[in-house]
Amino acid sequence: SDVPCALHVTENSVAITVVATGPFFGGGECKRTLRFHKDHPRVDFVTELNDLQDQTVVVAEFPLAESPAEIRRGIPFGFSHGAWSTPNPALHGKTKGIFPAIRWSDYSLPGGGVALLDRGLTGREINDRTPVIYLLSAVEKYYGYPNAWLSGKGRHRLEYALVAREAGWNESRIPQMAWE
């Protein structure tokens, strides 16, 4: 977020890995690892945060070249499917606001799309053409009671991925990829 950071780049036969380390708002530290796979349209992310201030919300944004036509997201026992940029009464899924997602969300664009996969990061939102994944919402107390589980104190490791696709959503096996 517009602060200087140290970069370290390595390459092997499978991927190019970029590690960016720097300060985080309020005095904590942020380490972000990006792995660009050479033979697969997937980018893996690991964000490590340390000692965040109370009431800090951390998100990752993925601006797209244009607004997606449709949005899908994993929900318990299936998925939700709704229109985004152009209304479509045949698609009844809700897409406005912040919605829970389990393991994946997918954004259809002309000629393909992109999917966000995660490991336990359930909040999703989209603003115009920018999908957002919620990484951490640090709060010291929940309903007035101390809650170390939601605290920003200590180390937090958050894993997610972005996968580009040229084929349709079902041919690209997005839910299966999320489970893998």
Side-chain angles (χ1 to χ4, degrees), residues 81-98:
H81 179 200
W84 178 250
S85 58
T86 304
N88 181 346
L91 301 177
H92 303 291
K94 296 194 180 277
T95 56
K96 306 292 184 204
I98 300 170

Side-chain angles (χ1 to χ4, degrees), residues 102-144:
I102 297 177
R103 295 197 188 269
W104 61 272
S105 56
D106 182 84
Y107 308 89
S108 293
L109 301 163
V114 295
L116 284 172
L117 314 178
D118 71 85
R119 291 190 180 144
L121 307 173
T122 59
R124 297 289 197 289
E125 180 179 12
I126 182 166
N127 297 310
D128 186 28
R129 62 181 197 198
T130 303
V132 176
I133 187 169
Y134 284 76
L135 301 179
L136 185 65
S137 180
V139 291
E140 298 294 325
K141 292 185 177 184
Y142 185 72
Y143 283 101

Side-chain angles (χ1 to χ4, degrees), residues 2 23 28 32 36 38 45 52 58 72 86-87 91 93 98 104 108 117 120 130 140 149 160 162-163 169 176:
D2 299 331
R32 186 166 286 164
F36 300 90
K38 291 184 176 181
F45 298 86
L52 300 182
V58 183
R72 290 176 179 84
T86 304
L91 301 177
I98 300 170
W104 61 272
S108 293
L117 314 178
T130 303
E140 298 294 325
W149 185 54
Y160 48 105
L162 180 72
V163 180
W169 167 81
Q176 292 90 345

Side-chain angles (χ1 to χ4, degrees), residues 18-118:
V18 178
V19 178
T21 306
F24 193 76
F25 171 79
E29 182 183 75
C30 178
K31 177 181 176 184
R32 186 166 286 164
T33 303
L34 294 82
R35 185 161 290 114
F36 300 90
H37 297 271
K38 291 184 176 181
D39 294 328
H40 196 274
R42 175 181 173 129
V43 180
D44 287 315
F45 298 86
V46 177
T47 299
E48 296 177 59
L49 303 166
N50 290 288
D51 297 327
L52 300 182
Q53 287 186 342
D54 189 31
Q55 303 294 314
T56 300
V57 176
V58 183
V59 300
E61 298 181 338
F62 298 89
L64 304 174
E66 55 189 282
S67 292
E70 300 174 6
I71 299 173
R72 290 176 179 84
R73 70 182 189 288
I75 60 174
F77 307 107
F79 67 94
S80 173
H81 179 200
W84 178 250
S85 58
T86 304
N88 181 346
L91 301 177
H92 303 291
K94 296 194 180 277
T95 56
K96 306 292 184 204
I98 300 170
F99 285 98
I102 297 177
R103 295 197 188 269
W104 61 272
S105 56
D106 182 84
Y107 308 89
S108 293
L109 301 163
V114 295
L116 284 172
L117 314 178
D118 71 85

